[in-house]
Each structure stands twice: as C-alpha cells, then as structure tokens.
Amino acid sequence: DQQVKQNSPSLSVQEGRISILNCDYTNSMFDYFLWYKKYPAEGPTFLISISSIKDKNEDGRFTVFLNKSAKHLSLHIVPSQPGDSAVYFCAAGWGSQGNLIFGKGTKLSVKP
Amino acid sequence: KAGVTQTPRYLIKTRGQQVTLSCSPISGHRSVSWYQQTPGQGLQFLFEYFSETQRNKGNFPGRFSGRQFSNSRSEMNVSTLELGDSALYLCASSPLQGEAFFGQGTRLTVV
C-alpha cells in the first residue's frame, strides 16, 4: 500500500505561470515532508521541506503547503522556468527514522 | 564540503553474480540510507545505517544487504543477481532526521 502518492505522473506548464504539484499521504505518523527534484541519471536534489507543525514554508520561487486534515501537500513554483523541467518527488518521514517514503514522482515540463 | 559520493557510477553484471556498491557520505553525517529507483516504482527504501548499525530496513529480499564502517562509509551488496535488480541505486546521507542528501547513484544493469 502506497503511503505517499503523487497521482499526476506528468504536468505541463507555460513558462512564467504557476506549477502546482500535489502529494497525498496516508500515514498520520509522518511529521515532516520534503520535495526533491531529479534530472535523469542524477540523484535527487533537495528543494524544500515542511514540518507537520507548519502549514506553509517558502523559499524563493518554491512554496510548500501542508493540509494535515486532508493529508495533502502541494509544491507551488512561481514563476515556472524551463530549467524547472524535471521529475519532482514528494517524500515523508517521521521521528528520528532515517528512511524517507517517496511518491512515484511527477514529471514537470515547463515550455518556453 | 564534498557531497555524497557513490562508486562505481555504472556497472554491468550477469545473472547469478553478486555486486558491491559503495557510498561515502558527507563528512559529519552518520546516517546513510540506500534506495532503489526503477521506472514506474519511484524510489524505494532499502535500508538505513546509523553508527554502523542497521536502523531501518525496507521490504527487500535477503539478497540485499549492507554495512556501515566506523568512518560512516557504507556498502551495499546484492547477491545472486536477477534481471529485475537492474536499477539506479541511490545512497543518501543525513546529519539528523529530515533532509537527505543524495549521491549521483550507481546504474546497475543485469544481463
């Protein structure tokens, strides 16, 4: 059973517009969430994280929103740039556990 | 500060063989985790080592094993390779809970 789900395998957005990537989770034990960006043949690169005690975290063009009651989080990229084209993974963890549970990823394409 | 280093980057093995992959974490990071990425399956957690002890283990058969040395470097071993083991194997190191820093991965092809 998937504990972290990214239901959209792909998303296409025009340059300059907003990209919204969504993630749902089922495990109430998760107390922090992360977003990673991945290019082909490279390891994932950390983008932004959020603790379960917050509902929003912002870093430059990237904002993550957390809705605990809905067990849903989203990553907003504004404005989107062609260099943002990559696969984005949502991940969740809890306590001092070192393992992260990843979603299957959403491939974002930003068109010029 | 050097990032996470994984060696080798690419590997081709035949079925039935065994393979060892290596990971050097970021200096000062004591937690090392391993993940397998295959098309359509995303990143799946293999195991995590902290201070030379396996702290967490994912849902993989016993053919997959690992260890961590006193300098935090880690190795993972896969014995009796199967075609389905072909994947990108990623190592991540963490200082504490939360953010994990990934290496570039080892692309393993089993033929």
Side-chain angles (χ1 to χ4, degrees):
Chain A
D1 182 36
Q2 265 190 282
Q3 297 185 66
V4 177
K5 297 179 186 178
Q6 293 177 258
N7 291 318
S8 299
S10 63
L11 175 68
S12 184
V13 170
Q14 206 67 33
E15 181 179 5
R17 307 293 291 268
I18 183 171
S19 294
I20 300 176
L21 298 121
N22 293 304
C23 179
D24 297 296
Y25 62 96
T26 57
N27 191 339
S28 300
M29 297 290 289
F30 291 141
D31 56 15
Y32 59 93
F33 304 88
L34 310 94
W35 284 94
Y36 284 84
K37 175 180 176 179
K38 188 180 184 301
Y39 294 114
E42 291 186 12
T45 304
F46 171 76
L47 273 175
I48 191 168
S49 64
I50 188 166
S51 161
S52 62
I53 63 172
K54 294 186 174 181
D55 55 18
K56 178 182 173 182
N57 190 24
E58 195 171 351
D59 184 2
R61 296 186 298 116
F62 301 92
T63 303
V64 57
F65 295 92
L66 175 63
N67 182 335
K68 280 186 68 177
S69 59
K71 292 192 175 69
H72 176 85
L73 65 154
S74 60
L75 174 68
H76 292 211
I77 306 174
V78 183
S80 302
Q81 299 172 354
D84 295 330
S85 298
V87 178
Y88 288 78
F89 289 96
C90 166
W94 69 99
S96 60
Q97 302 300 308
N99 57 302
L100 297 173
I101 308 298
F102 282 83
K104 292 190 177 182
T106 297
K107 183 175 182 178
L108 174 65
S109 299
V110 180
K111 302 188 175 180
Chain B
K1 204 175 197 182
V4 178
T5 305
Q6 289 188 247
T7 56
R9 288 293 310 277
Y10 303 93
L11 207 47
I12 299 176
K13 289 284 189 179
T14 55
R15 275 182 299 174
Q17 285 189 309
Q18 68 96 27
V19 67
T20 299
L21 312 181
S22 180
C23 173
S24 293
I26 292 171
S27 177
H29 289 191
R30 294 165 62 190
S31 168
V32 174
S33 300
W34 289 88
Y35 295 84
Q36 180 196 65
Q37 187 189 13
T38 53
Q41 289 299 316
L43 279 79
Q44 294 186 285
F45 172 73
L46 280 155
F47 29 65
E48 183 222 357
Y49 285 86
F50 183 85
S51 294
E52 301 179 66
T53 302
Q54 188 180 85
R55 189 161 69 168
N56 290 293
K57 190 176 190 304
N59 219 11
F60 279 80
R63 299 186 296 108
F64 292 80
S65 63
R67 58 178 176 168
Q68 187 180 33
F69 302 95
S70 58
N71 62 358
S72 292
R73 190 177 71 85
S74 177
E75 289 180 347
M76 71 161 277
N77 185 79
V78 188
S79 62
T80 321
L81 283 165
E82 300 176 359
L83 294 179
D85 296 333
S86 295
L88 180 68
Y89 289 88
L90 291 158
C91 167
S93 75
S94 305
L96 292 168
Q97 76 167 84
E99 184 179 337
F101 296 84
F102 284 84
Q104 298 228 27
T106 294
R107 170 70 63 184
L108 172 65
T109 302
V110 182
V111 297

